[in-house]
Amino acid sequence: MAALGALVKKVWSVRRVLVLLCAPLALVPVLLSLPPKEGRCLYVILLMALYWCTEALPLAVTALLPIILFPFLGILPSSKVCSQYFLDTNFLFLSGLIMASAIEEWNLHRRIALRVLMLVGVQPARLILGMMLTTSFLSMWLSNTASTAMMLPIANAILKSLFGEKNTSKDMNRENEENQASLHQNKLYTVPTEMQFLASTEDKDLTEEKEVTSDAPSDLKKEEEYKTNIWKGFLISIPYAASIGGTATLTGTAPNLILLGQLKSYFPECDVVNFGSWFMFAFPLMLIFLLMGWLWISILYGGIDLRGWKTRKSNLRVDAEARAREVIKEDYQKLGPTKFAEQAIFFFFCVFAIMLFSRDPKFIPGWASLFAPGFISDAVTGITIVIILFFFPAEKPSFKWWFDLKAPNTEMQPLLTWRKAQETVPWNIILLLGGGFAMAKGCEESGLSVWIGGRLHPLEGVPPPVAVILITIVIALFTEFASNTATIIIFLPVLAELAIRLRVNPLYLMIPGTIGCSYAFMLPVSTPPNSIAFSSGHLMVKDMARTGLLMNVMGVLLLSLAMNTWAKSIFQLGTFPAWANIHAENATAPLTAVENVTLSALNKI
């Protein structure tokens, strides 16, 4: 038995190598059971999907496989494959990442977060709301992981002040300094110092709880239960808010940009999705979902007590809230007065957002109409603004310097250096996006998308509103176990062909699938933000499963509501568009046998 256990451990230790070697052999039947070109393309897609789900290779490395496999298998020439890795969509995303680097470089995000917390108040429900609003706003522009990594140490400092962690002020200052150093070094990924600190205090917290519950009065027992629940509510609200906030802008999360890139690949004439139109659709949805999520988390974890609205607060809670208020105020004061660089970054950030929104808002002519049609894209706008960051001075220019011969002749420091951009921008995501676009191009050129569409006959009778709900549920469940980027890369070609078979606007199915990828709330492994919060040691899997189940249900229902109300007017979802009809005529056999019953059902909603 011991030998068997040792063998299992050895197999587990080399599991990635086994998947790497065995998966290509296990998928050989796919090559034999499909038409040659379609089978080879599906083989590559399934192989990449297995590697992504099992992480046999790093995600970005797996995304490079089309550069090797598509030319060797005769699916696409290398010139067509490689060009997919540098589409204008990639540069739009790159501009957002560079802007985020500049914001983090000058701590503007931390100033915004602390200011919002000072405004909302220190009662637990209000603090949770402040945390969620701030995290979601930051996640609209920064990566979800970076937003979570920045907000969790702030939440921990507030929780320690609320519940009286027995640390000396000197120790707390040292911990705060370590946390800041850790964040500065690992902004876009983890917060190891803070997470290790949280995990190390878990045993102490449990010991204290046991001591209190054994001989403490009942009111102290209630306070300990209240403390535990509020702590969980704080920690779980931050990753959820990051995932929700990332859906509000095209640059907020990778699946949104993959949708934009695949639309340009499958439907080159489609021009209804841009930064402005997406924001008008997704931002109201994000706000509604955020408010509903806040109510659910606050009720579940005691931030809002439905049975005790008029119950008087205990002195312990009053004192704790006063301490929390002081901690937030003290952290804000440590930032010092607003620097010229922070003001400049905030100005360029506002210009960045306004220019992207107003380029082509659809309901009125945008500023891009002043130029040749089709020449100006969101990528042009974004890159224009971020280039300025590399030469605009970080200190206020002084004309007196030119006339003061004794003034030091120091070189001007820009708002952002290329070295800092290299260190903080997650370049692996750019490759991941490119791999998704290359995969979509392979599906289109090989005819695999047509073959998939031909196998979707059983779904032709499904009413479009029901299809939206089913698609969102399936993708939300799938992305609980797989990368949301990999999930949407796999599903979007299928959704595009399904929409053509149903004779509905492809956006009516592709947008819910895209946003559904971000609605992964039930498991720690679902998203990096969930993993970071879970690694604190204060959350259990059952806490996330219990909270995330209703979050998933609310997300599916709210997304369905949005698609059948204001999204219809923004994206013209009530008709089968000409740009999709051209694709259907070029890529599939005539669909004369398909009735327009589903389209009329959509128009009646």
Coordinates of all heavy atoms in Angstrom, one line a residue, residues 110 153-154 156-157 160 169-183 193-194 327 330-331 334:
R110 N -4.4 54.3 -5.0 CA -4.5 54.2 -3.5 C -5.2 55.4 -3.0 O -6.0 55.4 -2.1 CB -3.1 54.0 -2.9 CG -3.2 53.7 -1.4 CD -1.8 53.3 -0.9 NE -1.9 53.0 0.5 CZ -2.3 51.9 1.1 NH1 -2.7 50.9 0.3 NH2 -2.4 51.7 2.4
P153 N -4.9 44.6 1.2 CA -4.2 45.1 2.3 C -4.9 46.3 3.0 O -4.8 46.4 4.2 CB -2.8 45.6 1.7 CG -2.7 44.8 0.5 CD -4.0 44.6 -0.1
I154 N -5.5 47.1 2.2 CA -6.3 48.2 2.8 C -7.5 47.6 3.7 O -7.7 48.0 4.8 CB -6.9 49.1 1.7 CG1 -5.8 49.8 1.0 CG2 -7.8 50.2 2.3 CD1 -6.2 50.6 -0.2
N156 N -7.5 44.7 5.1 CA -7.0 44.1 6.3 C -6.6 45.1 7.3 O -6.9 44.8 8.5 CB -5.7 43.3 5.9 CG -5.1 42.6 7.1 OD1 -5.7 41.7 7.7 ND2 -3.9 42.9 7.4
A157 N -6.1 46.2 6.9 CA -5.7 47.3 7.9 C -7.0 47.8 8.6 O -7.0 48.0 9.8 CB -5.0 48.4 7.2
K160 N -8.3 45.0 11.1 CA -7.5 45.0 12.3 C -7.9 46.1 13.3 O -7.9 45.9 14.5 CB -6.0 45.1 12.0 CG -5.4 43.8 11.3 CD -3.9 43.8 11.3 CE -3.4 44.8 10.3 NZ -1.9 44.7 10.1
S169 N 1.9 49.6 17.7 CA 1.9 50.5 16.6 C 3.1 50.4 15.7 O 3.1 50.5 14.5 CB 1.7 52.0 17.1 OG 2.8 52.3 17.9
K170 N 4.2 50.0 16.4 CA 5.5 49.9 15.7 C 5.4 48.7 14.7 O 5.8 48.7 13.6 CB 6.6 49.7 16.6 CG 8.0 49.5 16.0 CD 9.1 49.4 17.0 CE 10.5 49.3 16.3 NZ 11.5 49.2 17.3
D171 N 4.8 47.6 15.2 CA 4.7 46.4 14.4 C 3.8 46.6 13.2 O 4.0 46.2 12.1 CB 4.2 45.2 15.2 CG 5.2 44.7 16.2 OD1 6.4 45.0 16.0 OD2 4.8 44.1 17.2
M172 N 2.7 47.3 13.5 CA 1.7 47.6 12.4 C 2.4 48.5 11.4 O 2.2 48.3 10.2 CB 0.5 48.3 13.0 CG -0.4 47.3 13.8 SD -1.9 48.1 14.3 CE -2.7 48.2 12.8
N173 N 3.2 49.5 11.8 CA 3.8 50.3 10.8 C 4.8 49.5 10.0 O 4.9 49.7 8.8 CB 4.6 51.5 11.5 CG 3.7 52.5 12.1 OD1 2.5 52.6 11.6 ND2 4.1 53.2 13.1
R174 N 5.5 48.6 10.6 CA 6.5 47.7 9.9 C 5.7 46.8 8.9 O 6.1 46.7 7.8 CB 7.2 46.8 10.9 CG 8.2 45.9 10.2 CD 9.1 45.2 11.2 NE 8.2 44.4 12.2 CZ 7.7 43.3 12.0 NH1 7.9 42.7 10.8 NH2 7.0 42.7 12.9
E175 N 4.6 46.3 9.3 CA 3.8 45.4 8.4 C 3.3 46.3 7.2 O 3.3 45.8 6.1 CB 2.6 44.8 9.1 CG 2.9 43.8 10.1 CD 3.5 42.5 9.4 OE1 3.3 42.4 8.2 OE2 4.1 41.7 10.1
N176 N 2.8 47.5 7.5 CA 2.3 48.3 6.4 C 3.4 48.6 5.4 O 3.2 48.6 4.2 CB 1.8 49.6 6.9 CG 0.4 49.5 7.6 OD1 -0.3 48.5 7.3 ND2 0.1 50.3 8.5
E177 N 4.7 48.9 5.9 CA 5.8 49.1 5.0 C 6.1 47.9 4.2 O 6.4 48.0 3.0 CB 7.0 49.6 5.8 CG 6.9 50.9 6.5 CD 8.0 51.2 7.4 OE1 9.0 50.4 7.5 OE2 8.0 52.3 8.1
E178 N 6.1 46.7 4.8 CA 6.3 45.5 4.1 C 5.3 45.3 3.0 O 5.6 44.9 1.9 CB 6.4 44.3 5.0 CG 7.6 44.3 5.9 CD 7.6 43.1 6.9 OE1 6.6 42.4 6.9 OE2 8.5 43.0 7.7
N179 N 4.0 45.5 3.4 CA 2.9 45.4 2.4 C 3.1 46.3 1.2 O 2.9 45.9 0.1 CB 1.6 45.7 3.1 CG 1.3 44.7 4.1 OD1 1.8 43.6 4.1 ND2 0.4 45.1 5.1
Q180 N 3.5 47.5 1.5 CA 3.7 48.5 0.4 C 4.9 48.0 -0.5 O 4.8 48.1 -1.7 CB 4.0 49.9 0.9 CG 2.8 50.5 1.6 CD 1.6 50.6 0.6 OE1 1.8 51.0 -0.5 NE2 0.4 50.2 1.1
A181 N 5.9 47.6 0.1 CA 7.1 47.1 -0.7 C 6.7 45.9 -1.5 O 7.1 45.8 -2.7 CB 8.2 46.7 0.2
S182 N 5.9 45.0 -0.9 CA 5.4 43.8 -1.7 C 4.5 44.2 -2.9 O 4.7 43.7 -4.0 CB 4.6 42.9 -0.8 OG 4.1 41.8 -1.5
L183 N 3.6 45.2 -2.6 CA 2.8 45.6 -3.7 C 3.6 46.3 -4.8 O 3.3 46.2 -6.0 CB 1.7 46.6 -3.2 CG 0.5 46.0 -2.5 CD1 -0.4 47.0 -1.9 CD2 -0.3 45.2 -3.6
T193 N 3.2 39.3 1.1 CA 3.5 39.6 2.5 C 2.2 39.7 3.3 O 2.0 39.2 4.4 CB 4.2 41.0 2.6 OG1 5.4 40.9 1.8 CG2 4.5 41.3 4.0
E194 N 1.2 40.4 2.7 CA -0.1 40.6 3.4 C -0.8 39.3 3.5 O -1.4 38.9 4.6 CB -1.0 41.6 2.6 CG -2.2 42.0 3.3 CD -1.8 42.8 4.6 OE1 -0.9 43.6 4.6 OE2 -2.5 42.6 5.6
V327 N -7.7 54.9 11.1 CA -6.8 54.2 10.3 C -6.8 54.7 8.9 O -5.8 54.9 8.2 CB -7.0 52.7 10.4 CG1 -6.3 52.0 9.3 CG2 -6.6 52.1 11.7
E330 N -5.4 58.2 8.7 CA -4.0 58.2 8.8 C -3.3 57.7 7.5 O -2.3 58.3 7.1 CB -3.6 57.3 10.0 CG -2.1 57.3 10.3 CD -1.7 56.3 11.4 OE1 -2.7 55.9 12.1 OE2 -0.5 56.1 11.6
D331 N -3.8 56.6 6.9 CA -3.2 56.1 5.7 C -3.3 57.2 4.6 O -2.4 57.3 3.8 CB -3.9 54.8 5.3 CG -3.5 53.6 6.1 OD1 -2.5 53.8 6.8 OD2 -4.1 52.5 5.9
K334 N -0.7 59.8 5.1 CA 0.6 59.3 4.8 C 1.0 59.6 3.3 O 2.2 59.6 2.9 CB 0.8 57.9 5.1 CG 0.9 57.6 6.6 CD 1.0 56.1 6.8 CE 1.1 55.7 8.3 NZ 1.1 54.3 8.5

